[in-house]
């Protein structure tokens, strides 16, 4: 990043940047997936009617979007679920965090993902979509979301099924293409229409 862009970014961060604090970090085994509990002072989570995303600073001049899930509006806390199975800035950031660390983010805003009244919701994605789908499930209510998440690591699948009271299924990565894994799962289901949500890992290395 050149000097002019760096100075402009510093000014932008001072004007619009917000801070939160890390309460806890839990790495799954193997440590390529992280749960990051945050305290976000001043955030009114009671207004969240759709899945949110927050643009977190993961290194100088680099930001990544993450989904706050399992939020508590009274304590202003939430959890980020970060897939760190790739060598990217976001993965390194997640692995480096520890309790009491301060994070910077450029606000929280709504996505287009939200519950659809009187419609069944089916979620299909990989481990990078876990936070997004858990947030949707929190908005829609228990039992109103179904679907499958392709998770490569067996221990991670076990962790998902034991940690979360969710109707989402953690399925193995039988072939390299997650689309093919999900298609195979879909062929075994008896879905009755409704809304379908697709999510996958970004292609540029988060």
């Amino acid at each position: 990043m050149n000097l002019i862009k760096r100075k402009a970014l510093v000014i932008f961060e001072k004007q619009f940047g917000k801070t939160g604090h890390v309460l806890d970090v839990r790495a799954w085994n193997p440590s390529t997936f992280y749960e990051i509990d945050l305290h976000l002072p001043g955030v009114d989570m009671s207004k969240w009617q759709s899945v949110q995303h927050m643009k977190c600073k993961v290194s100088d001049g680099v930001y990544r979007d993450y989904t706050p899930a399992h939020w508590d509006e009274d304590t202003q806390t939430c959890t980020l679920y970060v897939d760190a199975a790739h060598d990217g800035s976001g993965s390194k950031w997640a692995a480096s965090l520890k309790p009491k660390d301060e994070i910077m983010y450029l606000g929280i805003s709504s996505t287009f993902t939200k519950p659809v009244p009187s419609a069944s919701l089916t979620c299909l994605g990989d481990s990078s979509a876990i936070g997004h789908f858990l947030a949707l499930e929190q908005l829609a209510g228990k039992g109103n979301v179904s679907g499958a998440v392709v998770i490569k690591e067996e221990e991670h699948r076990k962790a998902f099924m034991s940690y979360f009271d969710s109707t989402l299924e953690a399925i193995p990565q039988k072939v390299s293409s997650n689309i093919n894994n999900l298609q195979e799962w879909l062929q075994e289901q008896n879905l009755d229409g409704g809304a379908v949500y697709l999510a996958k890992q970004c292609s540029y290395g988060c």
Side-chain angles (χ1 to χ4, degrees), residues 11-166:
I11 294 172
F12 186 81
E13 289 176 346
K14 286 183 178 180
Q15 184 173 358
F16 298 104
K18 303 177 185 298
T19 57
H21 295 90
V22 178
L23 300 176
D24 195 14
V25 180
R26 295 175 297 282
W28 291 12
N29 181 31
S31 55
T32 54
F33 191 89
Y34 293 87
E35 302 178 55
I36 304 167
D37 295 337
L38 299 177
H39 177 225
L40 303 176
V43 176
D44 185 2
M45 301 174 181
S46 66
K47 296 181 179 180
W48 292 359
Q49 301 298 314
S50 64
V51 174
Q52 307 290 302
H53 70 98
M54 58 188 297
K55 191 171 291 294
C56 298
K57 182 178 181 178
V58 298
S59 65
D60 286 343
V62 180
Y63 288 81
R64 292 289 182 262
D65 286 334
Y66 294 109
T67 301
H70 288 152
W71 61 89
D72 185 315
E73 61 188 64
D74 294 326
T75 60
Q76 299 176 325
T77 57
C78 66
T79 302
L80 305 184
Y81 296 96
V82 180
D83 177 20
H86 43 278
D87 186 24
S89 298
S91 299
K92 295 174 182 177
W93 171 76
S96 72
L97 291 175
K98 57 186 181 300
K100 298 184 180 179
D101 279 353
E102 182 177 88
I103 68 159
M104 173 179 284
Y105 65 99
L106 295 180
I108 300 175
S109 56
S110 300
T111 70
F112 292 110
T113 306
K114 60 183 178 180
V116 178
S118 303
S120 60
L121 308 177
T122 303
C123 296
L124 303 171
D126 60 19
S127 54
S128 68
I130 287 176
H132 200 81
F133 292 163
L134 291 176
L136 177 61
E137 193 170 39
Q138 183 171 350
L139 291 167
K142 182 180 177 181
N144 293 319
V145 175
S146 63
V149 181
V150 179
I151 301 178
K152 181 179 179 180
E153 299 289 346
E154 181 181 0
E155 292 302 314
H156 288 187
R157 294 195 298 274
K158 291 178 181 178
F160 181 92
M161 299 308 293
S162 63
Y163 292 168
F164 305 128
D165 182 17
S166 172

Side-chain angles (χ1 to χ4, degrees), residues 113 122-125 129 132-133 179 182 186 196-200:
T113 306
T122 303
C123 296
L124 303 171
H132 200 81
F133 292 163
I179 293 296
L182 292 167
L186 280 170
V196 176
Y197 297 95
L198 299 173
K200 67 180 185 65

Side-chain angles (χ1 to χ4, degrees), residues 167-181:
T167 51
L168 293 168
E169 294 184 36
I171 64 174
Q173 187 183 51
K174 296 180 181 179
V175 294
S176 59
S177 170
N178 284 336
I179 293 296
N180 290 341
N181 286 287

